Amino acid sequence: MTVTVVIGYLLKTDFGIAMRATGNSESMIRSLGVNTDRMKIIGLAIANALTAVSGYLFSQIQGFADISMGSEIVIIGLGSVIIAETFINWFKITSVWLSLILVLIGAVIFQMVLALTLDIGVDANLLKMVMAGFVLLIVGLPRLSFRRT
């Protein structure tokens, strides 16, 4: 939770606004005199540092490290961001704080669906397919139209 507050504060500063603008419209922010290459490198460095810290903490909690541990974390992270992005688009949210909270809620929802899937007895080998189907459902749900023509 502390990391979320620090990231939220960083993204509200002038530096963070320039970094977010680099992701949204690189040519526009370059015309304002911001070095977009430096912003990309700093953004990737922050993302990789957070990934390294989360991998360290996860291996400390588990008590061991395995080469296949990282793929599940990446899938959970991408799923939670996709779920959060869907909610952000549904409710047209522009607040950085609400966006970060929705990413946390997306991770909880993703874990709940994972637990429910295992609870109903889905084979562990089919788990990735079920998770991919859930993410596709979340992404496709806003695009469905229920109007009758």
Side-chain angles (χ1 to χ4, degrees):
M1 195 62 148
T2 307
V3 174
T4 306
V5 172
V6 170
I7 292 173
Y9 177 74
L10 175 71
L11 292 176
K12 297 291 276 186
T13 62
D14 289 340
F15 171 77
I17 291 171
M19 185 178 290
R20 288 188 297 157
T22 301
N24 287 335
S25 177
E26 185 178 346
S27 59
M28 188 273 301
I29 197 70
R30 187 181 300 126
S31 69
L32 293 174
V34 175
N35 188 347
T36 56
D37 292 333
R38 183 179 299 151
M39 285 293 162
K40 288 179 194 176
I41 290 171
I42 292 171
L44 286 171
I46 291 171
N48 285 332
L50 290 172
T51 303
V53 169
S54 68
Y56 165 74
L57 291 174
F58 190 70
S59 65
Q60 287 295 314
I61 289 170
Q62 295 290 12
F64 68 97
D66 187 10
I67 194 153
S68 64
M69 291 171 79
S71 63
E72 300 297 322
I73 297 297
V74 170
I75 291 170
I76 291 169
L78 287 174
S80 64
V81 168
I82 288 171
I83 292 169
E85 188 69 29
T86 302
F87 287 140
I88 289 167
N89 290 337
W90 273 356
F91 302 120
K92 300 192 183 350
I93 294 172
T94 58
S95 170
V96 172
W97 294 106
L98 285 175
S99 299
L100 289 173
I101 290 170
L102 281 175
V103 170
L104 293 175
I105 291 171
V108 170
I109 291 171
F110 199 84
Q111 289 292 333
M112 287 173 52
V113 169
L114 180 67
L116 180 70
T117 304
L118 288 173
D119 193 45
I120 62 174
V122 173
D123 187 27
N125 294 327
L126 298 176
L127 194 60
K128 288 185 182 179
M129 185 177 70
V130 171
M131 291 287 97
F134 174 69
V135 170
L136 285 174
L137 177 73
I138 290 293
V139 169
L141 203 58
R143 290 160 180 71
L144 292 178
S145 176
F146 295 108
R147 290 181 285 158
R148 293 183 185 177
T149 54

